[in-house]
C-alpha cells in the first residue's frame, strides 16, 4: 500500500508539472526539491533521512542544478561537503506543490474526525518506520 501510494503521489506530481508547463524535470526531481524546501541541506542529509540513494540523489541534483532549480555551494569549513539551496525557480515550484497539497488535503475534509484519522495514520506510519529501522540496524526484533 505504501509503495502504491507513493507511485500515485508521483502521478499527482507529474500531472501538476504538466499543468504548470514544466517539462525540464520529472516528478521524482520535483519531490526532491520539495524535500529540500526553504532549507539549506547537505547531500548527505537527504541520504541520511532516507529520501534517496547516493547515485540517484547525485544524478538528480546535477540535473536540477543544470535546469536552474537548485544551487550548489561548497562548504567553507569542509570543502568535500556541498550545500544545496533552491533558487527562486525552485522555491516557486515548491510553493505550487505546497498549494496543491493544501488543496488535496481540503478534499479529504477538514473536520475533526478526518484530522484524528490522519493523526492516527501518521502515528502508525512512524511506528512502522521505527520498527523497520530497528530491524535493519539491530536484526530480529523480539516478537517477530
Amino acid at each position: 500500500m505504501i509503495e502504491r501510494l507513493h507511485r500515485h503521489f508521483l502521478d499527482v506530481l507529474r500531472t501538476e508539472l504538466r499543468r504548470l508547463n514544466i517539462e525540464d524535470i520529472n516528478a521524482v526531481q520535483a519531490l526532491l526539491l520539495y524535500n529540500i524546501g526553504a532549507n539549506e541541506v547537505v547531500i548527505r542529509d537527504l541520504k541520511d533521512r532516507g529520501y534517496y540513494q547516493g547515485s540517484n540523489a547525485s544524478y538528480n541534483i546535477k540535473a536540477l542544478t543544470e535546469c536552474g532549480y537548485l544551487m550548489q555551494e561548497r562548504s567553507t569549513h569542509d570543502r568535500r561537503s556541498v550545500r544545496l539551496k533552491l533558487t527562486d525557480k525552485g522555491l516557486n515550484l515548491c510553493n505550487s506543490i505546497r498549494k496543491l497539497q493544501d488543496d488535496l488535503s481540503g478534499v479529504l475534509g477538514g473536520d475533526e474526525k478526518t484530522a484524528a484519522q490522519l493523526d492516527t495514520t501518521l502515528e502508525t506510519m512512524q511506528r512502522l518506520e521505527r520498527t523497520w529501522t530497528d530491524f535493519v540496524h539491530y536484526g530480529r526484533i523480539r516478537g517477530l
Side-chain angles (χ1 to χ4, degrees), residues 31-109:
L31 187 57
L32 190 149
L33 290 173
Y34 187 78
N35 285 325
I36 295 171
N39 303 312
E40 282 191 27
V41 299
V42 178
I43 295 173
R44 182 186 314 145
D45 292 344
L46 295 171
K47 292 186 253 182
D48 289 349
R49 292 178 196 164
Y51 292 138
Y52 304 97
Q53 300 289 331
S55 60
N56 186 15
S58 297
Y59 168 81
N60 286 316
I61 287 165
K62 180 180 181 215
L64 289 166
T65 302
E66 290 172 356
C67 291
Y69 291 93
L70 195 58
M71 291 184 295
Q72 298 184 45
E73 185 177 287
R74 289 230 175 258
S75 170
T76 54
H77 298 27
D78 180 357
R79 301 299 293 164
R80 297 168 298 167
S81 180
V82 177
R83 299 195 66 74
L84 305 172
K85 183 178 180 180
L86 299 188
T87 63
D88 287 340
K89 183 177 179 181
L91 286 169
N92 289 336
L93 177 55
C94 281
N95 290 335
S96 295
I97 294 171
R98 187 170 296 106
K99 182 177 179 340
L100 170 67
Q101 287 183 315
D102 290 343
D103 293 346
L104 291 172
S105 64
V107 171
L108 288 173

Side-chain angles (χ1 to χ4, degrees), residues 128-141 144:
L128 183 58
E129 180 183 32
R130 276 192 305 273
T131 300
W132 288 352
T133 300
D134 288 349
F135 182 83
V136 168
H137 289 133
Y138 308 115
R140 282 237 174 253
I141 297 172
L144 291 181

Side-chain angles (χ1 to χ4, degrees), residues 3-17:
E3 183 63 30
R4 279 197 316 257
L5 287 172
H6 177 67
R7 282 195 312 268
H8 284 308
F9 185 65
L10 291 176
D11 290 340
V12 167
L13 288 177
R14 265 188 284 285
T15 301
E16 184 66 1
L17 290 173

